[in-house]
């Protein structure tokens, strides 16, 4: 792990933190590589059952490092291609891992930071958070998954307005339109995020992983194809240890003890 990204553990919950607070957690090669390493680590570690993504300091993530782009000069295209490609490796890994992702948005998120902030299964934003594309202001186009996530979360019309006019959305409005799950006071963000993360970690995370995969595939699938995916998913879950435990606990009127295995 690079110093630009830290990875910590609290039981079955792993927290990935962008750690360039003096640069507003702007994404440079070190941060992008560190995020890939952290994503692979939590994906492969079976003892991790929920992942929290957050930022150090007063900003979640400012997006790509503008100073890096400026210093690249005529090589800006090559530099950004490598930077975005590396970042997208991490984004894809976090989106497809077999465990839930919770984003704790501790402050403003812009550019690629916007895509990272809204990609969680649960997104909890502090009251000081806001969400800005940033790209129109510097003549660039989105990365970090924004053009895939935004239409699915807030609809095409609102996405068009947001991305084309560089609209900034505050935390309260973000919760109203479904950009985030909910908004809490800044001082309550860490506690709220960890409480929710522990609940997710105690759940049947194997089944959650299947649901995540189904939702990712759903927009590109026809109804009958998606029904077949669901039928296979629930059959597999029912035959697995967590499914067996869940049914037994329900019938015995007790709290289930899930292991996270499918």
């Amino acid at each position: 792990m690079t110093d630009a990204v830290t990875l910590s553990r609290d039981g079955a919950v792993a927290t990935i933190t962008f750690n360039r607070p003096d640069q507003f957690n702007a994404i440079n090669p070190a941060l992008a590589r560190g995020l890939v390493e952290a994503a692979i680590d939590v994906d492969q570690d079976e003892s991790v059952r929920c992942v929290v993504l957050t930022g150090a300091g007063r900003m979640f993530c400012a997006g790509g490092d503008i100073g890096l782009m400026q210093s690249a000069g005529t090589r800006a295209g090559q530099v950004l291609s490598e930077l975005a490609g590396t970042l997208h490796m991490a984004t894809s890994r976090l989106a497809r891992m077999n465990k839930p992702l919770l984003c704790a948005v501790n402050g403003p998120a812009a550019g690629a930071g916007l895509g990272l902030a809204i990609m969680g299964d649960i997104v909890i934003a502090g009251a000081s958070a806001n969400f800005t594309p940033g790209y129109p202001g510097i003549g660039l186009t989105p990365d970090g998954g924004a053009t895939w996530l935004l239409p699915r979360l807030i609809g095409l019309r609102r996405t068009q307005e947001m991305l084309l006019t560089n609209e900034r959305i505050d935390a309260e409005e973000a919760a109203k339109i479904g950009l985030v799950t909910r908004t809490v006071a800044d001082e309550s963000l860490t506690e709220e995020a960890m409480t929710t993360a522990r609940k997710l970690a105690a759940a049947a995370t194997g089944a959650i992983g299947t649901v995540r995969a189904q939702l990712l595939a759903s927009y590109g699938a026809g109804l009958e194809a998606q029904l077949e995916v669901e039928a296979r998913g629930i059959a597999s879950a029912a035959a697995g240890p967590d499914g067996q435990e869940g049914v037994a606990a329900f019938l015995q009127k007790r709290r289930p003890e899930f292991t996270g295995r499918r």
Side-chain angles (χ1 to χ4, degrees):
M1 214 70 57
T2 68
D3 292 339
V5 174
T6 64
L7 177 61
S8 60
R9 290 283 301 273
D10 181 355
V13 177
T15 299
I16 299 172
T17 304
F18 305 130
N19 192 38
R20 301 186 72 213
D22 292 342
Q23 291 78 37
F24 306 111
N25 297 321
I27 302 167
N28 66 352
L31 190 146
R33 288 193 299 269
L35 188 57
V36 171
E37 292 174 14
I40 292 172
D41 193 318
V42 297
D43 181 23
Q44 294 296 308
D45 188 342
E46 294 185 359
S47 68
V48 173
R49 297 179 60 184
C50 182
V51 179
V52 175
L53 184 66
T54 193
R58 296 181 292 107
M59 191 161 189
F60 178 80
C61 177
D65 191 323
I66 302 298
L68 173 70
M69 301 177 199
Q70 196 270 340
S71 64
T74 58
R75 295 192 65 255
Q78 294 95 313
V79 169
L80 275 181
S81 179
E82 180 178 356
L83 186 64
T86 305
L87 176 66
H88 292 171
M89 289 171 59
T91 302
S92 179
R93 179 72 65 139
L94 291 171
R96 296 190 179 280
M97 64 185 178
N98 188 37
K99 57 202 70 176
L101 174 67
L102 186 153
C103 292
V105 188
N106 56 295
L114 168 62
L116 291 167
I118 63 176
M119 69 179 295
D121 304 293
I122 303 291
V123 179
I124 304 176
S128 65
N130 56 61
F131 304 85
T132 311
Y135 305 100
I138 54 174
L140 298 180
T141 58
D143 60 348
T147 59
W148 194 92
L149 288 161
L150 284 169
R152 288 161 171 79
L153 293 170
I154 64 174
L156 179 59
R157 276 288 174 254
R158 190 61 189 269
T159 296
Q160 289 169 319
E161 181 180 33
M162 186 176 181
L163 291 183
L164 300 183
T165 69
N166 207 23
E167 180 186 13
R168 174 175 294 180
I169 295 177
D170 64 27
E172 183 178 357
E173 179 69 9
K176 287 180 181 178
I177 66 175
L179 190 61
V180 304
T181 308
R182 60 182 176 273
T183 299
V184 300
D186 287 332
E187 58 270 22
S188 303
L189 178 62
T190 299
E191 181 180 357
E192 181 75 13
M194 290 306 297
T195 297
T196 305
R198 292 187 188 104
K199 288 180 181 178
L200 289 169
T205 48
I208 289 175
T210 298
V211 173
R212 297 185 91 224
Q214 290 174 345
L215 291 174
L216 278 178
S218 65
Y219 282 89
L223 173 60
E224 286 72 22
Q226 190 68 11
L227 289 172
E228 178 63 16
V229 167
E230 290 183 351
R232 290 180 179 274
I234 196 170
S236 176
D242 274 355
Q244 295 284 307
E245 165 63 10
V247 170
F250 179 84
L251 293 174
Q252 295 166 17
K253 295 181 172 57
R254 61 175 174 81
R255 185 185 298 275
E257 296 182 5
F258 294 123
T259 64
R261 293 178 292 145
R262 288 187 291 179

